[in-house]
Amino acid sequence: MEAVSDSPLLRAARGESVSRTPVWFMRQAGRSLPEYLALREGVAMLDACMDPALVTEITLQPVRRYGVDAAIFFSDIVLPLKAVGVDLDIKPGVGPVVASPVRTLADVAAIPDLDPSHVPFITEAVRTLVGELGSTPLIGFAGAPFTVASYLVEGGPSKDQARTKAMMFGAPEVWDALMRKIAGISAAYLEVQVAAGASAVQLFDSWAGALTPTDYATHVMPHSAAVLERAGRLGVPRIHFGVGTSNLLTLMGEAGADVVGVDWRTPLADAIERVGDRAVQGNLDPALVFAPTEVMLQRAAEVIEAGRYARGHIFNLGHGVIPSTDPDQLARLTDFVHTYEPRG
């Protein structure tokens, strides 16, 4: 059996030659697979994330169904906060909701640091998964400091990040303390997953696209870099993905990414120029799975062709799988990527 370290995904992440373009899908297990929906029926999101048996089964489902080149650990970006005792919940149709939003230095100081004793269920689930996955790598997962801070400051999802930016600009000492706190929690969460056997990690920044490059570089990048630097000490490839971050791709790479995730709004060829000598991940529009199959596959071919000019390319959608996606379309897409023959 092939060693995990020789898997196409890890080779591509390191910029080494691959026999085929590796592929996985963000949110590949969640929301669209009928077997996932059946398993989650009546089970709250955070409860599912803290049940090792459920985490294991949910993480494995898309690997079984699609034959993708990696499993992404089933979790949520606010799970580590819940684990250390922050009063929050994930409301269906809304997202994470925090009972007492962070406003002051005292609020930040009240948040405990995370250590492995807070998340024994994570260690158990990862160890079980690594045993089940064999030569297929498991990607560990954590939320980036800006996005997690946004939920804590806003008290829930926000389209404009107004309270978050108000703290960033108006109370920089509180902002810096909060970002340091979250960076420590996110890094520790990734360390737990890698210690248990995860062989790559992804830092996910849902809301970073709300920032200008200057504000990102000044107020956010140092803290994401701190997470990625700690992950880098573990010797695993680091994927850094944000949504709407076309103007931040260079900085997100410089923060310490081995692989820069690219959403569908940025042509992959443009992204490759911006990230420099790094691998890229992406970036088919998630809505293209609703197009006729031949259209979806033609556009996928264009992504693969563009990716040939990067240091390494991991095929993915440009964001998460849309809940109403037909799983059979993702199966066709996976097969196409795996069997694609370069032109000429």
Side-chain angles (χ1 to χ4, degrees), residues 77 80 142-145 148 181-191 193 203 227:
I77 59 175
V148 178
K181 172 69 70 174
I182 298 168
I185 290 172
S186 292
Y189 191 55
L190 292 177
E191 287 169 348
Q193 294 170 67
L203 191 65
V227 180

Side-chain angles (χ1 to χ4, degrees), residues 192-342:
V192 166
Q193 294 170 67
V194 174
S199 47
V201 295
Q202 172 157 296
L203 191 65
F204 193 97
D205 215 347
S206 311
W207 305 119
L211 298 164
T212 68
T214 299
D215 291 334
Y216 177 84
T218 303
H219 300 289
V220 175
M221 182 177 167
H223 305 287
S224 292
V227 180
L228 293 165
E229 193 274 329
R230 276 177 62 178
R233 295 180 211 163
L234 308 172
V236 298
R238 300 156 295 175
I239 306 167
H240 196 188
F241 174 76
V243 182
T245 50
S246 180
N247 61 337
L248 305 178
L249 290 174
T250 301
L251 294 170
M252 291 180 73
E254 291 172 355
D258 302 295
V259 184
V260 177
V262 184
D263 87 355
W264 77 94
R265 298 170 180 87
T266 307
L268 196 60
D270 293 354
I272 290 166
E273 284 190 19
R274 292 173 201 176
V275 304
D277 189 27
R278 291 182 173 83
V280 292
Q281 177 178 279
N283 72 332
L284 189 73
D285 186 336
L288 273 164
V289 299
F290 298 93
T293 300
E294 62 271 18
V295 175
M296 173 185 74
L297 298 182
Q298 172 57 37
R299 295 288 290 275
E302 292 169 7
V303 170
I304 298 169
E305 287 288 329
R308 291 170 63 198
Y309 295 92
R311 175 179 170 83
H313 177 219
I314 298 165
F315 188 95
N316 207 314
L317 301 180
H319 197 197
V321 173
I322 295 169
S324 51
T325 294
D326 176 3
D328 290 341
Q329 276 291 76
L330 288 185
R332 293 181 194 106
L333 180 57
T334 305
D335 291 344
F336 177 80
V337 176
H338 279 163
T339 59
Y340 180 79
E341 294 289 341

Side-chain angles (χ1 to χ4, degrees), residues 30-288:
R31 309 188 305 175
S32 63
L33 285 182
E35 56 265 42
Y36 166 80
L37 296 173
L39 206 58
R40 277 288 316 282
E41 189 170 358
V43 182
M45 177 65 178
L46 288 172
D47 290 340
C49 292
M50 292 187 282
D51 182 325
L54 275 180
V55 169
T56 299
E57 174 59 22
I58 290 168
T59 302
L60 289 172
Q61 285 176 345
V63 181
R64 291 194 203 109
R65 183 182 270 261
Y66 303 133
V68 285
D69 293 287
I72 179 71
F73 188 68
F74 177 73
S75 186
D76 188 272
I77 59 175
V78 298
L79 186 277
L81 297 176
K82 180 76 169 181
V84 299
V86 175
D87 187 359
L88 61 83
D89 198 8
I90 297 177
K91 304 285 188 188
V94 178
V97 176
V98 178
S100 300
V102 171
R103 296 283 181 266
T104 66
L105 283 171
D107 294 338
V108 176
I111 302 171
D113 295 323
L114 183 135
D115 66 56
S117 68
H118 288 112
V119 286
F121 48 89
I122 300 297
T123 298
E124 181 182 341
V126 171
R127 285 178 176 162
T128 305
L129 278 164
V130 170
E132 293 275 347
L133 285 164
S135 60
T136 301
L138 175 68
I139 302 172
F141 168 83
F146 178 78
T147 292
V148 178
S150 167
Y151 286 116
L152 283 172
V153 175
E154 303 283 346
S158 168
K159 288 196 169 84
D160 53 27
Q161 312 300 319
R163 287 182 178 272
T164 306
K165 291 182 180 181
M167 178 184 288
M168 192 167 71
F169 300 134
E173 71 290 347
V174 182
W175 176 256
D176 185 67
L178 178 60
M179 291 292 276
R180 288 175 187 274
K181 172 69 70 174
I182 298 168
I185 290 172
S186 292
Y189 191 55
L190 292 177
E191 287 169 348
V192 166
Q193 294 170 67
V194 174
S199 47
V201 295
Q202 172 157 296
L203 191 65
F204 193 97
D205 215 347
S206 311
W207 305 119
L211 298 164
T212 68
T214 299
D215 291 334
Y216 177 84
T218 303
H219 300 289
V220 175
M221 182 177 167
H223 305 287
S224 292
V227 180
L228 293 165
E229 193 274 329
R230 276 177 62 178
R233 295 180 211 163
L234 308 172
V236 298
R238 300 156 295 175
I239 306 167
H240 196 188
F241 174 76
V243 182
T245 50
S246 180
N247 61 337
L248 305 178
L249 290 174
T250 301
L251 294 170
M252 291 180 73
E254 291 172 355
D258 302 295
V259 184
V260 177
V262 184
D263 87 355
W264 77 94
R265 298 170 180 87
T266 307
L268 196 60
D270 293 354
I272 290 166
E273 284 190 19
R274 292 173 201 176
V275 304
D277 189 27
R278 291 182 173 83
V280 292
Q281 177 178 279
N283 72 332
L284 189 73
D285 186 336
L288 273 164

